[in-house]
Amino acid sequence: MRLRRSLFAALAVAPLLALSSAHATTLRVGIQDDPDALDPATSGTYIGRFVFAAMCDKLVDIGQDLSIVPQLAEKWTFADDQKSVVFTLRKGVSFQDGTPFDAAAVKFNIDRMQTMKDSRRKAELAAVASVDVLAPDQVRLNLKEPFAPLLSVLSDRAGMMVSPVAGAKEDFSANPVCVGPYKFVERKSRDLIRLQKDASYWDAARYGYDEVLYSYIPDSTVRLARVRAGDLDIAERIAPTDLKTVRDDKNLKLHSAPGLAVSHLMVKVGEPEKANSPLQKDARLRRAFELSIDRNVINRVAFNGEYTADNQMIPPSDPFYPKSHPAPARDVAAAKKLMAEVGATTVPVEITFENALTDARVAQIVQSMAKEAGFDVKLLPLETATAIQRYLAGNFEMYIGNWSGRADPDPTLYAFFACNGGQNFNKYCNKDLEGVLNAARAEGDIAKRKQLYDKATGIYLADLPTIPIYHPNWFFAARAKVDGVVVYPDGLLRLKGVKPAS
Amino acid sequence: MSAPEVAAASVGRGWLGRKTAAGRLIREPAAILGGFIIFGFVLAALLAPALAPYDPNASDWMAIRQAPSAAHWFGTDDLGRDVLSRVIYGARASLAAGFLSVGIALVIGLPFGMIAGYFGGVADIVISRLTDALLACPFLVLAIALAAFLGPSLQNAMIAIGISAMPVFVRLARGQTLAVRQEDYVSAAWSVGLSHPKILTAYILPNILPPIIVQAALTTAIAVLAEASLAFLGLGQLPPAPSWGSMLDSARQFLVEAPWMAVWPGLAIVVVVIGFNMLGDALNDALNPQD
C-alpha cells in the first residue's frame, strides 16, 4: 500500500520534473584555456576576462565600436583640468551576495586593486591618486596627472567591482562575488566552471539562460566537433581554416568580429653592447626585411585570408587607427637595394617563437619569403615557458609576439614603445616617440589625441623596432538555436540578449 | 687428423653455423619482406635528391593543400609544398633517428651491461640501480623530457631516444653475460690468464650478440616511432626540414579538408615500423632455432 502510494507520487511528480528541467536552460560554452584565478585584481588571462564577462559588471563597458558606454556607472564627468572624474552610480544595484553596491564599494575595490599584494592592476591604476565618496551614488577618482585612457582601463578588470564582504576574504578567487548577471556556482580545475543566473541582477530580464557552463577544451578542432555534435552551444576561437565547415553546416552560425590583437615580429634593437645581429644595428635592414615579406600571402596561406594583414600595432577597426601609414607592398628589389646600401648581401636572422602550429606556419612562410631577398632565416621554435622566458629577458634576435591588444591605443603603444614600457623587451627607446605618447595620454580631446597617435605611428614605423604582420579576428561557432550572440572586438562573450531561439 | 685440419673443421662448422642462421633468415618470408621494405626506404633516403620531384622546402603559394594530382602525386601541404618530396626526404630523419639512436643505446648500454654482468659486486649494483632508475620512467616520457631539456633539433632527439633506449640493452647484456660467464670456455680463458678486456670482447661478446641483434632491430622500430612522436610534439627536426612526425603535426588541423597531408607520412611510419618488426621477429627465429 505504502509502496503503491509512493509509486503514485513518483508518477505524479515525474512530469513536473521533466517540465522544470526543460525550463532550466543551460548555455554550454567550449573555451580554449583554463582560466587562472577568478579574481579581477589578479587575473592575467584573456579567458579569465571571457568568464568575467558573464559574472562581473564593470564601471563602464565598451560598445561594438570601442566607444565607452555606461554599465555600473550611469554617467561620468571629467573636471576641467582632466585631473579628476566623478562617476554617478546606478541605483538599487546589489552584489550577488546581497551586499548593496555603492560608492563606498567602489572605493574599496580601487583600494584593493592598488594595494593587494598580487594585484596585477597596480600599473593600470597607477594614475589614480585617491578615491572620494561624495554620496552613496557619487564617487570621485582623483588623478595624479591627466590620463585619457582611464575609462578604457575601467572597462576591463580594473573596473570590475567585487563584493566588499567577499573581497575582504583571503580565498576570494575560490568564491568570487561581483555584480553581474550570472553568479559563481562551482569550478573544477582544468574541467569546467558553472555559473547560475542571479535573479536579483539589475538587468536580469535581458539574460535568456538560467545557467552557463564553461568547458575547457584546448583543441579548436575538438571544440568545433563538439559544437557540431550538439554537445556545446558555443565554441570560442574557431581556427580560420575551419570556417568553411562552420559556414556549410546549417545547424551552426558563425559569429565574428575584428580583433584588437596583433602578431608582430619584434626585433631586438636595444642593448647594442650585446648586439651581434645586423638587424639590431640598422633600421634599413629591418625595412628591407619588411619589404621582403608579403603580409597578404601570410594571411591567405596561414589563415585562409580570414585575418587582417596590416603593418601597425593598432588594428584598423580602432577609431584611433591612422590611415596615413598604409602597409607597404612586397618589393624584393627594393629590399635588395636597401641591403646593398648597407653593404650586405646575405643577412642572418634567427626567429624565436612559441612552438604552436600558427606561429610555426607564419615563421616558415616568412623564412621562405625573406630568403628571396637574401635573408638567411633560422627558426628556433621553443616550448612555451622557455620561449616566454627568453622574451622577457630580451634574449632573441627576432621574436613572434602575440599581443592581445586593448580598446585604447595607449596601453599597447606605451607598453611596447615607451623606453620603460611593460612589454618593451627589445629595449627600444626613442625619446621623441615617448614624448608624443605622453602628450597623447594627457590629451582629453579625441581629435587631437588622434593626431598625436598618427605622429607616433610615423615614428615607430620609421624606426621599425617591430614588424607587425596581422591582426587576428574573432570567430565563434554557435548552434543556430542560440539567439543574440554578438562578438565584440575584445573577443568577450557578452550574454546580454543571448537566449534560446523560440 | 692433424691439428690444422681440426682448426679448419671447427672454423668451417662455425661458419656453417652462421650460414645456417643466415640460411634460415633468407628462407623466412617475413625477413625478406621486412628487409625489402627497409632496403627500399634506405635507398629512398640516400637517393632523395634524385627521387624527389620537387625541393621539399619550396613553397608554391598558389597551390596550398591541393589534392593529389599528376603534378603532385601525394598532394601539397598547408604551405604549398610537395608531400611526396617531403615524405621521401622525411625518410632521412626517420631512418637516421632509428639507426643512430639505437647505435647510441648500443655503444653505451652494451659495455655497461657486460661490465655489470661480468664483474658483479659494486659495479653491478651501481649500474643496475641506475638502469632501474631509468627504466622506472616510461620510455617515451623520458625521451620527451630529455629532448625538451636539450632543445629541439634532430640531433638532440636522437640523443634523447638513444639514452632512453639504453637501459634495455644494459639489462639484456648483463643477463646474457651472467649466463655466459658460467660457461667452461670462459673459465678456461680465465685460467690461462687472459685479460678481462680480452675475455669480454673475444669470448663473451660474440656469444651474447644474437639476442642483442634481435633487440636492436626491434628497438629501431621503436626509435623511428619515437622520432615521429618527438617531431609531432615539435621536439625533433627543426622546421622547415621535413620529418614524418612534424608533417603529421601540421596535418592534424586539416584531417577533414586535406587528409592526404596526414595519410602519406602516417603510412610511411607504419610501413617502416612494420618492416623493422618483421625483420626483428625473423632474426629472432633464425638466431634462436630452438624456439
Side-chain angles (χ1 to χ4, degrees), chain A residues 56-69:
Chain A
C56 296
D57 274 9
K58 301 156 289 191
L59 286 178
V60 293
D61 200 3
I62 60 162
Q64 265 184 289
D65 57 353
L66 296 177
S67 61
I68 302 289
V69 298

Side-chain angles (χ1 to χ4, degrees), chain A residues 148-376:
Chain A
L150 179 73
L151 289 177
S152 157
V153 163
L154 294 176
S155 73
D156 193 1
R157 288 157 295 193
M160 288 179 193
M161 298 291 120
V162 308
S163 157
V165 178
K169 293 183 190 148
E170 276 290 304
D171 64 339
F172 176 83
S173 60
N175 277 301
V177 182
C178 297
V179 179
Y182 293 91
K183 60 186 175 192
F184 179 81
V185 177
E186 62 163 337
R187 170 174 193 178
K188 292 188 183 131
S189 189
R190 301 192 75 77
D191 183 12
L192 58 84
I193 292 174
R194 191 186 303 276
L195 308 180
Q196 193 185 39
K197 189 168 170 179
D198 178 15
S200 64
Y201 176 63
W202 59 273
D203 203 12
R206 295 169 72 177
Y207 291 79
Y209 283 89
D210 301 316
E211 200 181 56
V212 189
L213 180 67
Y214 297 96
S215 302
Y216 165 53
I217 304 163
D219 192 308
S220 79
T221 323
V222 178
R223 278 199 304 283
L224 177 58
R226 289 188 56 177
V227 85
R228 289 186 79 191
D231 203 15
L232 290 174
D233 298 308
I234 299 180
E236 59 112 350
R237 278 183 281 175
I238 297 298
T241 41
D242 283 334
L243 297 185
K244 194 178 173 304
T245 318
V246 183
R247 289 181 180 125
D248 289 350
D249 190 330
K250 64 180 189 322
N251 291 318
L252 299 185
K253 246 193 268 176
L254 183 70
H255 301 277
S256 60
L260 300 172
V262 62
S263 193
H264 57 128
L265 300 172
M266 213 165 163
V267 186
K268 178 70 179 287
V269 290
E271 293 182 331
E273 65 280 3
K274 289 190 204 160
N276 47 15
S277 94
L279 253 61
Q280 185 170 9
K281 294 174 194 151
D282 204 316
R284 283 173 296 177
L285 288 179
R286 300 198 283 274
R287 167 78 52 214
F289 195 88
E290 182 189 29
L291 288 170
S292 76
I293 60 173
D294 189 329
R295 293 178 168 94
N296 292 317
V297 166
I298 296 176
N299 185 24
R300 187 165 51 75
V301 172
F303 309 111
N304 277 15
E306 305 278 3
Y307 283 176
T308 307
D310 184 45
N311 65 330
Q312 298 185 28
M313 295 295 280
I314 303 296
S317 56
D318 192 302
F320 286 100
Y321 179 85
K323 293 191 178 65
S324 47
H325 306 279
R330 184 179 196 220
D331 190 340
V332 177
K336 281 188 171 151
K337 204 171 144 228
L338 275 169
M339 290 166 79
E341 259 179 47
V342 179
T345 42
T346 53
V347 175
V349 183
E350 184 182 67
I351 308 184
T352 307
F353 54 100
E354 274 179 57
N355 192 357
L357 282 176
T358 314
D359 284 348
R361 208 172 284 143
V362 170
Q364 290 183 63
I365 303 172
V366 167
Q367 176 184 47
S368 151
M369 288 193 293
K371 192 178 164 190
E372 285 174 44
F375 288 97
D376 178 22

Side-chain angles (χ1 to χ4, degrees), chain B residues 138-151 160-161 164 226 229-230 233 235:
Chain B
F139 170 76
L140 202 55
V141 175
L142 185 62
I144 291 170
L146 282 169
F149 172 73
L150 293 168
I161 298 168
S164 309
S229 311
L230 291 181
L233 296 173
L235 294 170

Side-chain angles (χ1 to χ4, degrees), chain A residues 133-144:
Chain A
V133 176
L134 306 176
D137 65 338
Q138 297 260 313
V139 64
R140 182 171 63 210
L141 268 57
N142 300 308
L143 306 180
K144 291 173 189 152

Side-chain angles (χ1 to χ4, degrees), chain A residues 22-62:
Chain A
H23 272 280
T25 46
T26 302
L27 184 71
R28 296 155 305 168
V29 184
I31 53 179
Q32 180 166 311
D33 311 290
D34 189 33
D36 52 347
L38 287 179
D39 181 340
T42 59
S43 161
T45 57
Y46 154 74
I47 206 69
R49 297 161 66 204
F50 190 88
V51 173
F52 285 137
M55 206 165 82
C56 296
D57 274 9
K58 301 156 289 191
L59 286 178
V60 293
D61 200 3
I62 60 162

Side-chain angles (χ1 to χ4, degrees), chain B residues 45-118:
Chain B
L46 292 176
L47 303 178
L51 287 177
Y54 297 90
D55 175 349
N57 298 329
S59 291
D60 179 353
W61 307 123
M62 300 317 287
I64 300 149
R65 299 199 303 270
Q66 287 204 339
S69 64
H72 299 280
W73 290 1
F74 284 11
T76 62
D77 72 359
D78 53 334
L79 298 179
R81 300 174 296 202
D82 182 53
V83 174
L84 173 61
S85 307
R86 288 179 74 75
V87 169
I88 293 174
Y89 272 89
R92 291 185 158 186
S94 276
L95 294 179
F99 291 131
L100 289 177
S101 51
V102 169
I104 292 169
L106 271 176
V107 165
I108 307 174
L110 204 53
F112 276 112
M114 287 170 67
I115 288 167
Y118 182 73

Side-chain angles (χ1 to χ4, degrees), chain B residues 245-257:
Chain B
S246 55
M247 290 173 75
L248 278 181
D249 185 29
S250 52
R252 183 163 60 99
Q253 267 198 324
F254 307 105
L255 283 180
V256 181
E257 305 137 71

